[in-house]
Amino acid sequence: MEVVAINQISPDQVILFSWWFVTISATLVYTWLVMGVLVVGSILITGKLSSDPVMTRWQSVLEVLVETIRSEIRDVVKEGVDTYFPFIGTLFLFILFSNLFTFIPGYVAPTSSLTTTAALAIMVFFAVPIYGISKQGILEYLKEYFRPTFIFFPFHVMGEFSRTLALAVRLFGNLMSHEKVIAILLAVTPLFFPVVMQVLGLLIGIIQAYIFAVLTIVYIASATQSHEEAEPKTKEPNSTNH
Amino acid sequence: MHIDWFVFFSQIVNFLILLFLLKKFLYGRIIGAIDARKAKIGALFAEAEQSRREARTAVEDCERKRQDLEERYEQSLNEARKEAESYRERLMEKAREEIDYLKVRWTEALRAERNNFLQELRQLAGRQVYAATRRVLKDLADLNLEERIVEVLLARIASMDENERGKFRGAAREGGAITVTCAFDIPPETQARLKDTLHRYLSEDMGVVYVRSDNILSGCELRSDGHKISWSMKDYLDTIEERFNAALYEEAQEQRT
């Protein structure tokens, strides 16, 4: 039995409970499932962490995962890795596990809901200026919108909105379309081919989680490092005077 | 495509809760464990580095001690070699001295033995020659050898020149006597002839003393105050001894080569 019918474009449309404005949709339920797995898994694994060179396999997996995310962030932002790591790591892990659980029959990825991807994109939309202002100060951050000249201000603003929209729609579009493709294939050729597509879906899910996280890092880096890149240009004449 | 705003804000809240929980239960602990492991590994590396440095220092110390020992060993060895060489030299010198001493003793012993041998040979040869000559003279010419010796001596006294005679006369004037020493007994008549001849050619009042001595080999001699005339087989025997000695020497040389 399909949770989301073929004519339903999002799990938001599967309402499990509704009272006044409170609507508990499949999106929220699966989100809590993913959250529960992540939190309980983390508690279970990190409950018996070892700082010795010899460790459990699960700890090794988690350490590799965490170090890989930190390494990706370090490649882009160079410094302050641990400041951005919890936000970007949570984004990545949430999207990754939301997408990976699609191999469970009956499960629908919350990320195939535009509401979820929009919420994630909005958080990135607000996180970027928050990190930028905390790093550079509000004036320096706002100056970036007027560089190289004030004429670029509307383009910068449009860029902020458009990239947020792109983040939301890209993730939603990929996941939703893939689920629809699998649903159609199950109806047409129920043997073998949907399995291959399912595997492909897992790959796409991993790639989309990676893309979302990396783009977020890049946006945060562009907001926090523009001042540092401009600084050597102002210092250059002084250095030549010596 | 619509957005459920309740779900939208719920997802934001859900995400923030997840962020908080993961930060509390995952990131903090994992990063803490990683940092602790890094610190522990760093400490292990530092300890290993310290141990390596200590080991290197120990190795250098050992190497230094080994070199010291080797130098001391070489030095001791050289000293021992020098001492051994010196000891060997001393032993060689001592051996050479002993060999020289033994050689001298041996040479002296050999020479003494040879002299004894030659002396015995000389006496034996003298006696044999004397006996043979006596017999030959007796058999062939019916002559007495002792008498012939005295005759030869008398002839020599008669043939002395004045200078020689003067020397014997001088000794007689001082109250001395002429000593006649022979290896055989002189018969009385021969003694009388001898005395007459001496009185005639030398001096009338000259005393004559007769002495028998085996030291004069088959001969007879007149002696007065250091002056002497004689005849004996000594010269012949000396020649024989000299030739025999030369023959022995040649034999020894041939054996050595």
Side-chain angles (χ1 to χ4, degrees):
Chain A
M1 174 190 163
E2 285 293 321
V3 176
V4 182
I6 193 72
N7 59 347
Q8 292 174 319
I9 200 158
S10 164
D12 292 343
Q13 293 171 342
V14 180
I15 307 296
L16 300 176
F17 176 79
S18 180
W19 176 73
W20 200 35
F21 69 92
V22 177
T23 52
I24 305 299
S25 64
T27 307
L28 279 179
V29 173
Y30 291 127
T31 300
W32 292 334
L33 175 69
V34 172
M35 284 172 66
V37 169
L38 281 175
V39 173
V40 172
S42 298
I43 290 170
L44 287 177
I45 294 170
T46 57
K48 43 187 177 181
L49 283 181
S50 164
S51 59
D52 293 333
V54 179
M55 64 191 105
T56 62
R57 290 177 184 174
W58 285 110
Q59 186 181 343
S60 298
V61 170
L62 265 191
E63 284 194 6
V64 168
L65 196 60
V66 166
E67 270 305 302
T68 307
I69 298 168
R70 291 174 87 197
S71 166
E72 288 293 332
I73 298 170
R74 195 179 292 114
D75 286 347
V76 181
V77 298
K78 311 294 181 197
E79 61 176 17
V81 174
D82 289 336
T83 310
Y84 315 119
F85 170 64
F87 179 68
I88 292 163
T90 307
L91 272 177
F92 177 72
L93 289 178
F94 176 71
I95 297 169
L96 178 72
F97 279 89
S98 296
N99 298 347
L100 287 181
F101 286 165
T102 51
F103 71 88
I104 300 169
Y107 172 86
V108 179
T111 44
S112 63
S113 149
L114 183 63
T115 308
T116 305
T117 57
L120 296 175
I122 282 295
M123 276 187 292
V124 174
F125 179 78
F126 285 109
V128 169
I130 287 169
Y131 281 125
I133 289 166
S134 68
K135 175 83 178 177
Q136 304 187 59
I138 190 162
L139 282 175
E140 279 297 324
Y141 177 74
L142 289 176
K143 275 182 190 174
E144 290 299 319
Y145 285 90
F146 297 96
R147 281 179 182 146
T149 62
F150 69 92
I151 298 168
F152 281 82
F153 175 72
F155 298 108
H156 280 300
V157 174
M158 283 167 62
E160 294 286 337
F161 282 105
S162 64
R163 75 188 187 190
T164 304
L165 183 65
L167 273 179
V169 174
R170 183 187 301 110
L171 185 57
F172 161 71
N174 274 286
L175 271 295
M176 182 273 294
S177 62
H178 188 70
E179 284 194 355
K180 297 305 150 197
V181 166
I182 289 175
I184 293 165
L185 283 173
L186 276 172
V188 178
T189 56
L191 291 174
F192 184 69
F193 200 64
V195 176
V196 177
M197 290 306 290
Q198 196 78 30
V199 174
L200 183 65
L202 291 177
L203 183 64
I204 289 170
I206 295 169
I207 291 169
Q208 287 306 316
Y210 178 77
I211 289 171
F212 200 99
V214 166
L215 285 174
T216 305
I217 300 167
V218 171
Y219 297 154
I220 290 172
S222 68
T224 55
Q225 290 183 347
S226 55
H227 173 69
E228 292 166 14
E229 286 167 5
E231 201 165 355
K233 292 176 185 172
T234 56
K235 282 185 176 176
E236 201 171 355
N238 291 334
S239 61
T240 52
N241 287 340
H242 296 292
Chain B
M1 225 170 49
H2 82 287
I3 288 178
D4 185 334
W5 293 106
F6 174 77
V7 175
F8 178 79
F9 287 109
S10 297
Q11 289 293 62
I12 292 174
V13 172
N14 284 337
F15 182 81
L16 293 175
I17 290 169
L18 181 65
L19 175 64
F20 171 75
L21 291 174
L22 287 184
K23 192 173 180 183
K24 185 174 174 59
F25 293 116
L26 182 63
Y27 306 140
R29 290 179 180 181
I30 285 284
I31 290 171
I34 291 171
D35 290 346
R37 184 178 301 106
K38 275 185 185 170
K40 199 174 276 186
I41 290 171
L44 283 174
F45 270 100
E47 197 177 328
E49 180 63 23
Q50 178 67 20
S51 299
R52 198 176 64 83
R53 273 200 292 268
E54 286 175 2
R56 184 180 290 173
T57 310
V59 166
E60 284 172 358
D61 281 352
C62 282
E63 182 63 21
R64 206 162 32 242
K65 281 178 186 168
R66 194 187 64 77
Q67 283 179 352
D68 283 351
L69 281 174
E70 206 166 311
E71 283 171 10
R72 236 179 280 171
Y73 166 75
E74 283 292 327
Q75 199 174 344
S76 301
L77 196 64
N78 287 337
E79 284 174 4
R81 277 186 189 139
K82 281 179 189 169
E83 201 170 329
E85 184 65 23
S86 167
Y87 187 64
R88 194 180 71 86
E89 292 281 333
R90 283 202 301 275
L91 284 180
M92 290 291 286
E93 187 63 29
K94 197 174 173 184
R96 268 196 292 271
E97 284 173 2
E98 282 182 7
I99 289 169
D100 288 346
Y101 174 71
L102 289 174
K103 192 175 171 184
V104 167
R105 277 188 61 189
W106 178 78
T107 309
E108 283 174 358
L110 194 66
R111 187 177 294 132
E113 197 175 343
R114 188 187 66 184
N115 288 342
N116 285 337
F117 172 72
L118 289 175
Q119 191 65 29
E120 284 176 8
L121 181 72
R122 180 189 176 97
Q123 286 179 356
L124 184 64
R127 279 195 293 271
Q128 291 297 325
V129 168
Y130 184 78
T133 308
R134 185 175 183 163
R135 189 177 293 172
V136 167
L137 283 175
K138 184 74 179 172
D139 290 347
L140 295 180
D142 194 22
L143 289 176
N144 188 297
L145 178 61
E146 286 84 5
E147 285 180 4
R148 284 305 306 161
I149 291 170
V150 172
E151 288 295 329
V152 169
L153 194 63
L154 290 175
R156 284 203 178 173
I157 293 167
S159 63
M160 277 196 301
D161 56 12
E162 275 306 312
N163 187 26
E164 281 181 311
R165 285 178 188 172
K167 288 176 184 172
F168 283 97
R169 281 177 192 143
R173 273 197 300 272
E174 290 169 4
I178 287 180
T179 304
V180 179
T181 308
C182 290
F184 47 84
D185 292 329
I186 304 170
E189 59 268 27
T190 309
Q191 286 184 8
R193 282 180 60 202
L194 191 60
K195 191 173 181 180
D196 288 343
T197 304
L198 289 172
H199 286 171
R200 188 165 63 236
Y201 289 104
L202 298 175
S203 175
E204 287 291 332
D205 50 355
M206 178 178 281
V208 180
V209 179
Y210 297 97
V211 176
R212 164 118 186 231
S213 173
D214 290 333
N215 291 332
I216 297 171
L217 285 174
S218 307
C220 210
E221 73 173 20
L222 267 76
R223 187 183 292 269
S224 175
D225 195 21
H227 304 292
K228 182 184 89 170
I229 57 170
S230 66
W231 183 94
S232 74
M233 295 179 74
K234 181 178 176 293
D235 294 337
Y236 305 105
L237 293 174
D238 282 347
T239 304
I240 289 172
E241 186 181 343
E242 192 176 324
R243 288 187 180 174
F244 205 86
N245 203 3
L248 281 176
Y249 181 76
E250 282 173 13
E251 182 79 14
Q253 286 293 328
E254 280 175 10
Q255 281 183 357
R256 191 177 294 173
T257 56

